[in-house]
Amino acid sequence: MAELAPHELRVLVAVAETGGFSAAAVRLGLTQSAVSHSVRGSEAKVGAVLFERGRTGASPTPAGERAVGLARRILRLYEVLGAEVRGAGREASQAVGGVLRIAAFRSAALHLLPPALERLTARHPGIHPEVRVVRELGAGTAGEVAAGRADLGIATLNGAGTGTGAAEAGAGAGAAALLTGVLREEAYALVHPAGHPDPRTLPLLDWDENCGSYTRDWWRAQDWIPRATVKAEDDAMVLTMVGRGLGMAILPELSLREATDAVDVTGLGPSGPVRRVGYVTTPESASTLAVRALIRELRSETA
């Protein structure tokens, strides 16, 4: 199979992100016919239709989604190549530099990342972190990594074990194996209005991202937990609503760092659910200086 050149990869990414050949041409400073010709050439090389064309624009096919994700990741390697080569053999504090793209769910971005980034940038002033908060719904933060939009994600991890390994994660069927490592395991707790005499009689409040099977299986086995009557957009909203006396909730430790005196926290015992929080990255990003340095700081933060 003929290889795609970097400029062809940039065209694929631009079409996917702008939603059409014309808009991609404007972004890249090309003509629409040049963009169309490039996409047709790429499709011929890979042997698959990458975009559905229509009156409203162009959208990636499943093959196109995969191709665009890989294209972003390959182009990212071109971006960091210079810094990696220049860093070879230099002192650690001088070797690491450039933009480091991070995706994290809300409570991790608020409580887990800042101290690690503070130490990271103190040791490596050339690193410039860019953090985006991504909801853990659908592909979540792992999907951002698989799609090439983040170098590392902080994600909730499923399955057993606590070591670093390969995991199928990310956007859609056929997503490449990503490297994961557990950073912390945190227990869930019952949160209820302060001083309430019988919190288990209160309505249950929940939030959209609290959907891990490791939590749901435990919930289904508890006859005292009712079906959620209110579902909020995030865990901070749930915590605020509990403090207002609107119900009880079951929240993990990172979320509880924002708890005020308006709520009481009760442990659920040794059989209660536990959430595993870790990092997700690609095999190629895992070998870069900046990602390796961030993982070290994250591990020291949670040790």
Side-chain angles (χ1 to χ4, degrees):
M1 185 182 69
E3 296 178 354
L4 299 186
H7 71 271
E8 293 174 304
L9 300 179
R10 292 188 181 94
V11 168
L12 296 182
V13 172
V15 172
E17 291 182 350
T18 63
F21 291 2
S22 297
V26 172
R27 173 188 285 192
L28 297 171
L30 302 173
T31 64
Q32 180 178 343
S33 61
V35 169
S36 179
H37 177 76
S38 179
V39 171
R40 287 198 303 270
S42 296
E43 290 176 327
K45 288 180 179 181
V46 302
V49 176
L50 302 180
F51 292 95
E52 295 286 352
R53 284 81 158 170
R55 292 182 178 180
T56 59
S59 59
T61 63
E65 290 281 3
R66 182 81 174 106
V68 170
L70 288 172
R72 287 195 190 97
R73 288 161 59 174
I74 293 168
L75 291 171
R76 179 61 174 158
L77 287 178
Y78 278 108
E79 291 176 8
V80 304
L81 186 149
E84 292 292 308
V85 171
R86 288 190 298 272
R90 297 173 63 186
E91 292 184 13
S93 62
Q94 300 174 336
V96 187
V99 173
L100 178 59
R101 307 170 306 161
I102 305 162
F105 59 90
R106 192 199 68 84
S107 58
L110 192 60
H111 301 295
L112 190 58
L113 268 176
L117 292 180
E118 183 179 17
R119 291 192 305 274
L120 179 72
T121 54
R123 291 191 173 106
H124 307 288
I127 288 183
H128 304 288
E130 291 183 354
V131 180
R132 289 190 304 113
V133 175
V134 176
R135 302 188 72 196
E136 282 288 70
L137 297 173
T141 55
E144 294 298 293
V145 173
R149 289 186 286 264
D151 304 313
L152 180 141
I154 305 297
T156 53
L157 305 177
N158 294 326
T162 58
T164 303
E168 286 294 327
L178 301 179
L179 296 181
T180 68
V182 175
L183 296 171
R184 62 186 293 131
E185 292 187 346
E186 52 182 26
Y188 281 72
L190 173 64
V191 190
H192 51 88
H196 195 282
D198 192 2
R200 294 191 177 199
T201 63
L202 292 170
L204 177 67
L205 309 178
D206 201 6
W207 85 99
D208 293 339
E209 296 173 74
N210 194 26
C211 56
S213 59
Y214 46 88
T215 305
R216 295 301 184 201
D217 291 345
W218 180 87
W219 281 14
R220 281 191 287 268
Q222 311 304 309
D223 56 11
W224 61 272
I225 302 180
R227 172 173 287 185
T229 56
V230 177
K231 183 170 285 190
E233 185 168 312
D234 62 46
D235 49 349
M237 292 177 63
V238 169
L239 197 56
T240 299
M241 294 168 74
V242 171
R244 296 280 185 175
L246 298 175
M248 64 172 177
I250 297 173
L251 296 171
E253 190 274 331
L254 275 178
S255 301
L256 294 175
R257 292 193 183 184
E258 299 165 66
T260 68
D261 292 340
V263 303
D264 285 340
V265 178
T266 303
L268 294 170
S271 63
V274 174
R275 179 172 74 167
R276 299 166 66 240
V277 177
Y279 66 83
V280 181
T281 188
T282 62
E284 63 269 16
S285 289
S287 65
T288 62
L289 296 170
V291 169
R292 285 161 53 193
L294 175 57
I295 291 173
R296 283 195 297 270
E297 298 302 338
L298 287 169
R299 286 198 178 281
S300 67
E301 173 66 21
T302 57

